Amino acid sequence: MNGNEKVLDVRNLKTHFFTNLGVVKAVDGVSFYLRKGQALGIVGESGSGKSVTSLSILQLVPKPAGRIVEGEIWYGEEDLVKKSQKEMRQYRGKKLFMISQDPMTSLNPVFKIGNQIAEAIRRRQNLTGDDLTEKIIEMLKLVHIREPETRINSYPHQFSGGMKQRAMISMALACQPEILIADEPTTALDVTIQAQILKLMMEIRQHYNTSIILITHDLGVIAKFCDYVLVMYAGKIVERADVKTLFKGNRHPYTRGLINSLPHLGKKQQRLASIKGQPPDLLNLPKGCPFEPRCDYSVERCSCDYPPIEPVDKEHFISCWRWREI
Amino acid sequence: MNGEAILEIKDLKKYFTIGKQGILSRKPRIVKALDGITFSLNKGKTFGLVGESGCGKSTAGRSILRLHKITDGEIIFQGQNIDAFTGMEKMQYCRDVQAVFQDPYASLNPRMRVGEIIEEPMLVHGISRSRGRRERVAELLEVVGLSADHISRFPHEFSGGQRQRIGIARALSLNPKLVILDEPVSALDVSIRAQILNLLMDLQQEFGLTYLFISHDLSVVEHISDVVSVMYLGKILEMATCEMIFNHPLHPYTQALLSAIPVPDPEFSRQAIILEGDVADLLGLEKGCLFRNRCFNATDACSEREPELVEVEPNHQVACLKIT
Amino acid sequence: MPQLSKIWAHMKNAPLGGLAILFMLVMGALFSEFIAPHSPVDQDIIQALRPPFWFEGGTWDHFLGTDELGRDILSRIIFGARISLVVGFMAVAISGFIGTCLGLISGYFGGRMDSVIMRLVDIQLSMPYILIALALIGALGPSLRNIIIVIGITSWVDYARVVRGEVLSIKENEFVDLARIAGCSTYRILLKHIFPSVVNSLIVLGTLMLGRIIIFEAALSFLGLGVQPPTPSWGIMLADGRQYLTYAWWLATFPGFAIMLVVLGTNLVGDWLRDMLDPRQRAAVRGKR
């Protein structure tokens, strides 16, 4: 880890959705911090609250159903939760940059790619005319888009999925954000393209010492890319640790089940170890630990009280009543 | 590859015409989704078809399911060409060949009850009376790990994994011989994926099913398949037994594909082969090897001559000029 | 199929005003004889052109006044609801049936069939409704039955378009492919797998069309092409009242107000039904999970 400076400190974040059918506690008391230059992974299954966590940081929770009901998000000396939408625009796309799973949600279909990158460049530098064009081409070259001179005049729909994602990354490069939030950036892409995108993101991190939050359901991507990992389940962090500890010295039954249920390339097994049961229904969460119905280690206490987050080590935290025995 | 073949695909071609010729529309463009593929499925085994999006693997599955007309080639099921089927033979083919698709939400009619969904194929084929069918539905639900109480519920009351189980129960209701599995676990969460894969393998054992397993996920394909073929732009580039493909890949594309999979182990380090470009970069590739513009091994010869699928060692075929 | 709790959740947003108007319309039409204080056709010249009760010369007996022949306006409006409702429902049923069948065929089969049906739609849309109605009524002669037929066959276009659009997206669902793989006949696929998914849209469209058809009927009757006097129809009342507008405004105003209220009611209910039945709209209300 490069330095110990915390660039983002999330404390007891709670984002709930108020729906006709009841309250969905999408994020329910999440605390973590991001250090300078760190690649933080958030892993979890659908409905675990990993995406809502990232949207909360940017104040992009879909309104009116969703609302941050509690918690603080400290970015330097500022609490982002208290910022108005107008003030947040000073952060989004400048200091905080988001890459989403579907780049079309961030790219405007009626503007040329070149113009959209130009806009990102102009947030940092005051360039015009040929200088600007040159800079755009340089940006596209950095993300390995072929024939950038002609590609700047293309519209987003003329790009393939991987190229759109690369265009997004070139915009991130132009902004040089302090924090890059990538929400499933490679899920919609093929493996060979995924490898390209991950490599690019690693390059950004090395060159600019950018802190990255990578949200994914793919433990392989986590292992390859991140140095610190949060495991989320039903809106809560169940375990957080540095990446080696998480894969080799995990203590939470869910983390362990998740890792064991993956087929390992090159090591063909007869059967996969699987986690029993179904994902939790967020509208009807059990009173105690939400993982209890699917857990092999559960005892009576697990169904009554939610286990507190306890430190195992300096950087290893866990929320399970029985972690000492596991 | 030895064993009794249940399905043989011979030089299958499927071209799509994009854009009709009209007063205002552009010239029609022909997309070769499948450009001459040949393989055969052995009884009771799993044949894995892998490739990236747009390689034609799903088109192959849909052609076998007779969901669209093929342009050229033959599909031979148990010795009979399926193109020449009469009405009765078509119905019998429906009984023998069933499918499970990727999206557990779109695969089940949201307005039908679980019982009706599973029962429908039997109803259409006039199998047994209403009571007999109900009993069979209950039995099938138990087989796929659900309970008979679920019979009168609607799909939206189930999670993705449970829906996929319902889809599997429906596919099994006619006692098929061959099941086309088109990305059956891709839309599922990691913890549920393992459950479904285990279920599929158990069912294969129990009923002697043959699977055509179509997926983009190589680690899943390795887990379930006996024979694997790697597709790229409508062609098969490499085909071999599962062990050979994964332990001893020969084609540069297979090698790159394998090295690109992130391994869930932080201590595992391997230099990934990063392929340049995109599948969509097709400019000027009319002749020669379709992979050459992304290949790290390509030479001038690759743009001259198109490589054929050649057996380089027993049970291992490769389409690459540098190897054959 | 929504569960009871979900239905209840949407009942809370129900447009009570709109539902009340439609309830009154239906009740008025069903029980006209019992509700109306007078016969709609009985003339009483002595009572002619009485204003509503709150004006000088008005009586409680003729609540909303009388027309030039001394007929009670309120009673005529209540009986007129019957005509509006009969024409509305019958025409919606006929046009809905034609439009749905053509839309299903056009959307599911595509190709040449689709082109022919959609060209038919274009032709229909390019001709003014009134012109077609004039021509048809001219040929068939004005009557309640003929007006229903005319409206029925001129307003199927909207159904055909909506159904076709829905079918195009529904047939992309994998369950339709799986039905074909299971060996279902085309007829079964259309009836069991596709049609149930368009029913919601049809209910919504039908409700909204009801309002439009009531206006259309009034317009035709106004022009003398619809129901014939002395049968009370809102359109006829408007037409008859027009010449007295300067000194007996209530003749035309109250039937006009009735038309407005009913159309407003159907639109309110239609919008609410759309929000309730359309899964996309519902998702927007529920928010992201």
Side-chain angles (χ1 to χ4, degrees):
Chain A
M1 257 154 270
N2 326 338
N4 277 328
E5 187 198 339
K6 288 180 192 173
V7 287
L8 194 73
D9 192 352
V10 177
R11 292 181 199 160
N12 195 29
L13 178 70
K14 289 188 181 174
T15 305
H16 295 179
F17 287 83
F18 298 87
T19 72
N20 287 338
L21 306 177
V23 179
V24 175
K25 296 177 178 175
V27 177
D28 198 23
V30 161
S31 304
F32 65 91
Y33 43 79
L34 176 69
R35 294 183 194 283
K36 181 91 195 134
Q38 190 179 44
L40 175 81
I42 304 182
V43 67
E45 299 178 277
S46 45
S48 63
K50 54 189 195 303
S51 291
V52 179
T53 305
S54 71
L55 293 175
S56 303
I57 295 170
L58 292 165
Q59 299 266 352
L60 288 174
V61 182
K63 303 228 154 126
R67 217 166 53 223
I68 298 177
V69 291
E70 211 184 306
E72 297 151 27
I73 299 168
W74 290 96
Y75 173 74
E77 298 293 305
E78 316 273 351
D79 183 359
L80 297 184
V81 174
K82 296 208 173 69
K83 299 280 174 211
S84 67
Q85 286 296 327
K86 205 175 157 195
E87 289 170 309
M88 275 311 288
R89 251 170 258 153
Q90 300 301 311
Y91 294 89
R92 287 199 289 258
K94 287 174 194 161
K95 290 168 178 142
L96 311 171
F97 195 94
M98 173 134 169
I99 299 176
S100 54
Q101 176 178 348
D102 179 8
M104 277 320 279
T105 56
S106 319
L107 292 172
N108 190 331
V110 299
F111 288 114
K112 290 173 182 169
I113 291 279
N115 295 353
Q116 302 196 42
I117 296 172
E119 204 183 309
I121 293 170
R122 262 186 261 128
R123 283 182 206 148
R124 281 269 160 194
Q125 288 162 290
N126 203 0
L127 292 177
T128 46
D130 288 347
D131 293 340
L132 185 62
T133 316
E134 226 166 81
K135 184 82 181 167
I136 300 168
I137 292 170
E138 186 195 322
M139 287 294 156
L140 287 173
K141 271 185 187 152
L142 275 176
V143 294
H144 309 294
I145 286 180
R146 289 179 194 191
E147 299 165 34
E149 293 82 2
T150 53
R151 281 303 187 179
I152 56 172
N153 288 320
S154 301
Y155 287 93
H157 72 266
Q158 293 168 307
F159 273 32
S160 68
M163 278 159 78
K164 279 180 214 151
Q165 208 59 295
R166 272 180 274 172
M168 280 307 294
I169 291 178
S170 77
M171 284 161 76
L173 276 171
C175 291
Q176 296 183 17
E178 196 163 0
I179 301 172
L180 181 66
I181 299 174
D183 187 355
E184 305 263 13
T186 58
T187 305
L189 306 175
D190 288 322
V191 267
T192 57
I193 311 297
Q194 168 173 287
Q196 294 171 356
I197 300 291
L198 287 179
K199 189 174 165 227
L200 263 175
M201 284 177 44
M202 279 184 206
E203 285 168 8
I204 293 186
R205 191 183 154 206
Q206 276 161 9
H207 284 185
Y208 303 101
N209 202 20
T210 313
S211 311
I212 296 178
I213 298 179
L214 179 75
I215 293 151
T216 178
H217 67 280
D218 188 335
L219 284 160
V221 173
I222 291 275
K224 191 170 176 182
F225 190 82
C226 299
D227 34 45
Y228 197 78
V229 188
L230 317 176
V231 182
M232 287 188 72
Y233 189 81
K236 291 193 159 81
I237 294 179
V238 294
E239 186 163 11
R240 60 187 166 106
D242 66 84
V243 70
K244 283 212 176 88
T245 314
L246 193 92
F247 281 92
K248 302 294 175 190
N250 52 53
R251 284 304 208 20
H252 197 284
Y254 176 63
T255 316
R256 189 164 294 179
L258 217 51
I259 291 170
N260 287 342
S261 65
L262 294 173
H264 274 259
L265 214 55
K267 288 179 232 154
K268 193 163 176 166
Q269 304 122 296
Q270 244 336 290
R271 278 182 78 81
L272 293 169
S274 64
I275 302 177
K276 65 183 179 189
Q278 300 302 321
D281 176 2
L282 293 176
L283 282 165
N284 298 302
L285 284 179
K287 200 163 63 151
C289 173
F291 188 60
E292 185 272 330
R294 304 176 68 188
C295 184
D296 288 330
Y297 299 88
S298 74
V299 288
E300 214 172 293
R301 187 183 197 180
C302 300
S303 56
C304 306
D305 302 307
Y306 189 81
I309 293 247
E310 292 178 284
V312 179
D313 229 324
K314 211 170 102 232
E315 297 272 345
H316 186 183
F317 295 85
I318 195 161
S319 159
C320 177
W321 288 116
R322 300 189 63 194
W323 65 266
R324 287 178 183 82
E325 304 153 52
I326 293 167
Chain B
M1 278 144 243
N2 316 315
E4 191 193 336
I6 185 165
L7 184 83
E8 287 169 80
I9 309 287
K10 287 182 182 163
D11 200 27
L12 182 64
K13 286 180 184 162
K14 172 69 195 173
Y15 298 169
F16 289 103
T17 318
I18 295 188
K20 268 181 286 182
Q21 182 109 51
I23 303 164
L24 296 171
S25 49
R26 286 168 292 177
K27 258 193 181 167
R29 201 159 59 90
I30 287 177
V31 173
K32 299 179 177 179
L34 289 175
D35 199 14
I37 61 167
T38 302
F39 60 84
S40 64
L41 306 191
N42 284 349
K43 210 166 184 171
K45 300 284 183 196
T46 302
F47 187 93
L49 209 51
V50 277
E52 297 180 285
S53 49
C55 73
K57 54 188 193 300
S58 287
T59 310
R62 294 174 67 85
S63 301
I64 295 168
L65 290 164
R66 304 180 64 251
L67 286 176
H68 44 223
K69 270 192 125 61
I70 59 174
T71 309
D72 196 16
E74 286 172 11
I75 300 172
I76 294 163
F77 181 72
Q78 294 183 322
Q80 274 185 296
N81 190 336
I82 68 165
D83 245 6
F85 275 166
T86 60
M88 281 303 287
E89 287 169 328
K90 276 180 194 161
M91 283 308 262
Q92 182 58 45
Y93 186 71
C94 287
R95 288 194 189 190
D96 288 338
V97 183
Q98 280 296 308
V100 176
F101 286 146
Q102 173 173 10
D103 187 346
Y105 292 85
S107 288
L108 308 178
N109 187 339
R111 281 157 213 284
M112 284 165 90
R113 288 172 196 277
V114 168
E116 294 174 86
I117 290 171
I118 299 174
E119 186 188 19
E120 188 181 37
M122 294 186 273
L123 188 81
V124 170
H125 289 266
I127 292 168
S128 86
R129 285 162 195 272
S130 162
R131 250 187 67 206
R133 286 199 301 263
R134 286 276 141 175
E135 277 165 24
R136 173 100 173 110
V137 169
E139 183 193 314
L140 283 164
L141 279 169
E142 305 272 347
V143 165
V144 297
L146 293 168
S147 128
D149 307 337
H150 291 140
I151 212 161
S152 51
R153 299 228 199 133
F154 284 98
H156 71 83
E157 297 174 52
F158 294 90
S159 66
Q162 287 172 316
R163 288 175 194 225
Q164 212 59 322
R165 286 176 194 266
I166 296 167
I168 293 170
R170 176 183 160 109
L172 292 180
S173 64
L174 294 172
N175 289 317
K177 296 183 172 121
L178 169 64
V179 183
I180 313 287
L181 303 166
D182 192 349
E183 305 264 16
V185 297
S186 302
L188 303 177
D189 277 322
V190 182
S191 70
I192 305 299
R193 200 175 283 185
Q195 292 178 357
I196 301 295
L197 284 174
N198 285 339
L199 172 68
L200 287 171
M201 290 173 88
D202 291 345
L203 293 172
Q204 182 169 41
Q205 286 272 307
E206 200 176 332
F207 301 109
L209 300 169
T210 309
Y211 286 154
L212 175 65
F213 194 95
I214 299 167
S215 179
H216 71 281
D217 187 335
L218 283 108
S219 50
V220 170
V221 169
E222 186 204 16
H223 181 71
I224 199 165
S225 304
D226 300 295
V227 180
V228 175
S229 101
V230 179
M231 286 187 69
Y232 188 78
L233 287 172
K235 288 185 185 293
I236 293 176
L237 296 187
E238 185 163 8
M239 177 155 60
T241 59
C242 192
E243 290 76 31
M244 279 191 208
I245 286 268
F246 286 92
N247 298 329
H248 183 44
L250 290 177
H251 198 284
Y253 178 64
T254 316
Q255 290 172 359
L257 213 52
L258 279 170
S259 82
I261 303 171
V263 178
D265 181 351
E267 279 164 6
F268 183 92
S269 72
R270 167 188 59 192
Q271 198 48 52
I273 304 167
I274 303 281
L275 290 179
E276 287 293 318
D278 233 299
V279 188
D281 299 341
L282 275 172
L283 298 159
L285 282 181
E286 286 85 20
K287 226 166 65 171
C289 176
L290 289 174
F291 182 60
R292 67 170 190 274
N293 61 341
R294 298 178 73 196
C295 185
F296 50 87
N297 241 344
T299 56
D300 288 345
C302 296
S303 51
E304 296 298 318
R305 201 152 59 84
E306 193 180 320
E308 300 270 324
L309 201 59
V310 180
E311 190 153 40
V312 285
E313 53 185 323
N315 293 341
H316 198 159
Q317 293 168 294
V318 184
C320 178
L321 293 174
K322 301 276 283 185
I323 289 156
T324 53
Chain C
M1 246 1 88
Q3 290 157 314
L4 274 177
S5 63
K6 288 186 186 172
I7 292 176
W8 178 240
H10 281 282
M11 283 308 281
K12 283 190 279 189
N13 304 332
L16 290 175
L19 287 171
I21 292 169
L22 288 195
F23 180 76
M24 273 161 51
L25 176 73
V26 172
M27 284 297 138
L30 285 178
F31 305 110
S32 314
E33 285 88 351
F34 305 101
I35 298 172
H38 297 274
S39 155
V41 288
D42 279 1
Q43 305 178 6
D44 185 355
I45 298 296
I46 302 165
Q47 298 284 342
L49 292 176
R50 256 187 205 288
F53 74 91
W54 62 89
F55 282 92
E56 212 184 318
T59 60
W60 278 97
D61 192 32
H62 295 289
F63 198 71
L64 297 179
T66 56
D67 66 5
E68 76 281 9
L69 297 171
R71 294 175 297 195
D72 184 46
I73 301 244
L74 178 64
S75 305
R76 282 180 70 77
I77 288 178
I78 291 171
F79 276 91
R82 186 174 278 182
I83 300 292
S84 293
L85 209 65
V86 167
V87 173
F89 273 109
M90 296 291 282
V92 163
I94 293 173
S95 57
F97 180 78
I98 300 173
T100 307
C101 290
L102 291 176
L104 279 173
I105 292 168
S106 169
Y108 186 73
F109 294 102
R112 187 160 297 170
M113 200 80 104
D114 183 34
S115 306
V116 170
I117 292 173
M118 282 303 116
R119 288 306 78 75
L120 215 60
V121 166
D122 291 339
I123 291 168
Q124 174 96 65
L125 281 179
S126 63
M127 289 197 283
Y129 285 131
I130 288 291
L131 208 67
I132 306 173
L134 272 172
L136 282 170
I137 302 256
L140 298 169
S143 75
L144 184 64
R145 195 195 66 201
N146 288 348
I147 200 171
I148 290 172
I149 294 174
V150 166
I151 298 178
I153 57 176
T154 47
S155 53
W156 59 272
V157 181
D158 301 76
Y159 298 92
R161 286 189 143 185
V162 167
V163 169
R164 174 178 176 269
E166 293 262 318
V167 173
L168 284 180
S169 77
I170 293 163
K171 77 170 182 182
E172 292 302 312
N173 273 310
E174 288 167 347
F175 68 78
V176 177
D177 284 334
L178 284 165
R180 286 170 69 188
I181 292 165
C184 294
S185 60
T186 307
Y187 174 72
R188 187 182 167 85
I189 291 175
L190 280 173
L191 203 71
K192 287 286 286 184
H193 292 278
I194 293 183
F195 178 67
S197 298
V198 300
V199 167
N200 283 351
S201 306
L202 282 177
I203 292 173
V204 175
L205 187 62
T207 317
L208 295 172
M209 288 295 282
L210 189 64
R212 264 168 63 182
I213 285 173
I214 287 173
I215 292 185
F216 195 30
E217 183 270 330
L220 287 180
S221 296
F222 182 88
L223 293 173
L225 298 169
V227 206
Q228 293 304 299
T231 322
S233 152
W234 296 346
I236 292 174
M237 291 172 77
L238 270 181
D240 291 349
R242 190 179 39 148
Q243 43 188 315
Y244 302 96
L245 207 56
T246 44
Y247 55 96
W249 52 269
W250 55 90
L251 261 60
T253 307
F254 289 117
F257 198 60
I259 294 173
M260 193 202 86
L261 263 184
V262 168
V263 174
L264 181 71
T266 56
N267 282 333
L268 284 173
V269 173
D271 283 343
W272 167 65
L273 281 173
R274 186 186 55 215
D275 290 351
M276 188 172 89
L277 297 174
D278 184 351
R280 276 158 298 184
Q281 292 276 345
R282 200 155 58 208
V285 176
R286 266 206 312 230
K288 200 183 154 193
R289 276 221 169 166

